[in-house]
Amino acid sequence: MENKNTIPAVDKSLKLLHVLAESSEAMTTAQLARGLEIAPTTCYRIIQTMVGHDWLRPTSTGAFTFSSGMFPLLKPLSDYQQLFESLGAPLRQLVEQTGLTAKISVKQGDVAATVYRIESPRPLSPSFKLGGTFPLALGSSGACLLSGLEDEEVKLILDESPEGAWAYQTRADVLARVCSVRKSGVCYDPGQYQPAVHAISAPIDNREHRCFAAISLIGWANDFSEKSIKELKRLVARCASQCSKKLGDKAVA
């Protein structure tokens, strides 16, 4: 959602860092300007400002890449990753009990991001890229992350969801999943994100009972029979509760 209380120059600077981070190689001023759809002179000034702070450095080819001045900024992110890695034991137990893939997602603006996962031991199973993002309108994990928001904010997020989010579902489907989380603490996605992939998710709450993250159990459609769904929901909800207790005061929504 667009936030009117932002500074355009800072917004452009942060978007530049995102574009560079997603690139597999250093980028020139012209490439970054095209990627951001901003004037080359504006892009040049942003880059030179970051070079001055040792966040970026020029390469021998005249392109730019990240510099060692970024390292101090990564320390909190390392702590954040360790926070989720501390949940490895309950997630591994869930994977061992079910044979399915388990992952943790968090809300980042208007999207959800996968921050931790434990793969299924099976040779063929659904897999999600660590760090990958998807609209909050999608999946059972998206519903968990939406469930703690005010209805008006949920409405705005759904209004601004990309067209692709509605390929296999309707707005009513999303709201039904959100309602399920609010009522029972768990929800099921019967392939409305990706038709062949089904999932069950539950919120990981902080001490104030606010949703901090979502845990999901993911498998193929035939892994979620009508008979097994009830037990899988119970296991996911129990794992989410264990994660919430383990995080304690360290979880800040």
Side-chain angles (χ1 to χ4, degrees):
M1 290 179 295
E2 182 180 355
N3 188 338
K4 296 180 180 179
N5 299 313
T6 59
I7 302 173
V10 176
D11 185 62
K12 291 173 185 175
S13 300
L14 295 177
K15 286 179 178 177
L16 184 147
L17 293 176
H18 276 282
V19 169
L20 190 56
E22 291 172 357
S23 174
S24 59
E25 55 188 18
M27 298 179 70
T28 65
T29 301
Q31 289 172 326
L32 286 165
R34 284 196 298 270
L36 293 166
E37 298 182 346
I38 61 175
T41 52
T42 300
C43 189
Y44 174 80
R45 292 190 184 110
I46 292 173
I47 290 172
Q48 292 306 311
T49 300
M50 292 186 178
V51 168
H53 286 277
D54 196 28
W55 284 16
L56 300 181
R57 62 177 176 82
T59 67
S60 59
T61 62
F64 293 88
T65 189
F66 290 102
S67 186
S68 58
M70 293 288 288
F71 288 159
L73 303 179
L74 301 179
K75 177 61 168 59
L77 296 180
S78 175
D79 294 341
Y80 193 60
Q81 183 62 27
Q82 289 176 14
L83 185 65
F84 289 110
E85 288 175 354
S86 71
L87 305 179
L91 258 70
R92 276 191 293 274
Q93 183 182 34
L94 180 63
V95 171
E96 290 169 0
Q97 289 173 321
T98 63
L100 305 179
T101 294
K103 73 181 181 80
I104 294 176
S105 305
V106 297
K107 181 179 179 294
Q108 293 183 351
D110 293 344
V111 299
T114 301
V115 295
Y116 190 71
R117 71 181 181 195
I118 295 182
E119 299 286 355
S120 164
R122 300 175 183 176
L124 293 175
S125 61
S127 180
F128 288 81
K129 179 182 177 183
L130 199 61
T133 61
F134 53 93
L136 287 169
L138 288 172
S140 52
S141 54
C144 288
L145 299 172
L146 288 173
S147 68
L149 305 179
E150 296 294 332
D151 288 344
E152 185 60 28
E153 187 173 359
V154 173
K155 178 181 181 300
L156 289 172
I157 289 174
L158 297 186
D159 286 345
E160 298 183 8
S161 294
E163 185 177 345
W166 309 110
Y168 306 110
Q169 64 175 357
T170 66
R171 190 186 190 95
D173 293 324
V174 180
L175 295 177
R177 291 197 298 272
V178 172
C179 183
S180 176
V181 177
R182 289 173 174 173
K183 286 186 175 181
S184 65
V186 66
C187 73
Y188 171 53
D189 171 23
Q192 292 171 340
Y193 179 176
Q194 298 178 18
V197 179
H198 289 210
I200 291 174
S201 299
I204 298 173
D205 293 336
N206 63 10
R207 284 287 178 87
E208 286 72 43
H209 302 290
R210 294 179 58 195
C211 180
F212 172 71
I215 182 172
S216 301
L217 191 64
I218 305 158
W220 303 118
N222 58 9
D223 293 318
F224 294 83
S225 66
E226 187 174 345
K227 183 178 179 180
S228 67
I229 287 176
K230 183 177 180 180
E231 175 62 10
L232 292 175
K233 282 184 175 181
R234 185 187 71 81
L235 292 173
V236 172
R238 186 178 70 177
C239 185
S241 177
Q242 291 172 339
C243 290
S244 296
K245 291 177 182 177
K246 195 171 183 65
L247 288 176
D249 292 330
K250 292 180 287 187
V252 181

